[in-house]
Amino acid sequence: LYEEAQTSEEFRYARDVLILACSANKPMACSNLGHLYANGRTGKPNLAKAKQVVAQACRLDFEPACRYLKQLQTLGAKP
């Protein structure tokens, strides 16, 4: 869904779906949502929000999210 989105409307739809899935503790959804927030696909980039949902994915033992969280920290995302 996220990888196939091309328009702003599609990214907003993907964000809404990912928010629901992340709130149900689906780690890949949280990680993908973090990418949307960090890249500003649905508005201004929000590194703090990205870090929050990526950290959730990491706590759920999704290793790619843990690696991405380290990258976000080097970009200056505040806890």
Side-chain angles (χ1 to χ4, degrees), residues 1-6 28 32:
L1 181 67
Y2 159 70
E3 292 86 4
E4 297 174 8
Q6 294 181 2
M28 186 179 278
N32 286 338

Side-chain angles (χ1 to χ4, degrees), residues 5-15 40-43:
Q6 294 181 2
T7 67
S8 295
E9 184 177 320
E10 289 171 339
F11 278 112
R12 283 191 300 273
Y13 176 75
R15 179 202 56 208
R41 295 290 191 182
T42 60

Side-chain angles (χ1 to χ4, degrees), residues 11-12 15 22 28 33 35 38 40 42 46 56-58 65-66 75 78:
F11 278 112
R12 283 191 300 273
R15 179 202 56 208
C22 184
M28 186 179 278
L33 183 59
H35 282 276
T42 60
N46 187 332
Q56 180 179 345
C58 183
C66 298
L75 294 174
K78 303 284 187 228

Side-chain angles (χ1 to χ4, degrees), residues 17-31:
V17 171
L18 292 171
I19 287 170
L20 288 173
C22 184
S23 67
N25 288 322
K26 303 295 182 187
M28 186 179 278
C30 296
S31 184

Side-chain angles (χ1 to χ4, degrees), residues 14-78:
R15 179 202 56 208
D16 293 345
V17 171
L18 292 171
I19 287 170
L20 288 173
C22 184
S23 67
N25 288 322
K26 303 295 182 187
M28 186 179 278
C30 296
S31 184
N32 286 338
L33 183 59
H35 282 276
L36 279 179
Y37 287 143
N39 295 324
R41 295 290 191 182
T42 60
K44 287 176 57 176
N46 187 332
L47 294 179
K49 208 172 205 181
K51 185 177 181 244
Q52 179 182 13
V53 294
V54 173
Q56 180 179 345
C58 183
R59 285 191 302 275
L60 294 167
D61 296 322
F62 188 59
E63 183 57 34
C66 298
R67 289 191 302 268
Y68 186 49
L69 183 58
K70 288 178 184 176
Q71 290 177 337
L72 288 174
Q73 289 169 333
T74 63
L75 294 174
K78 303 284 187 228

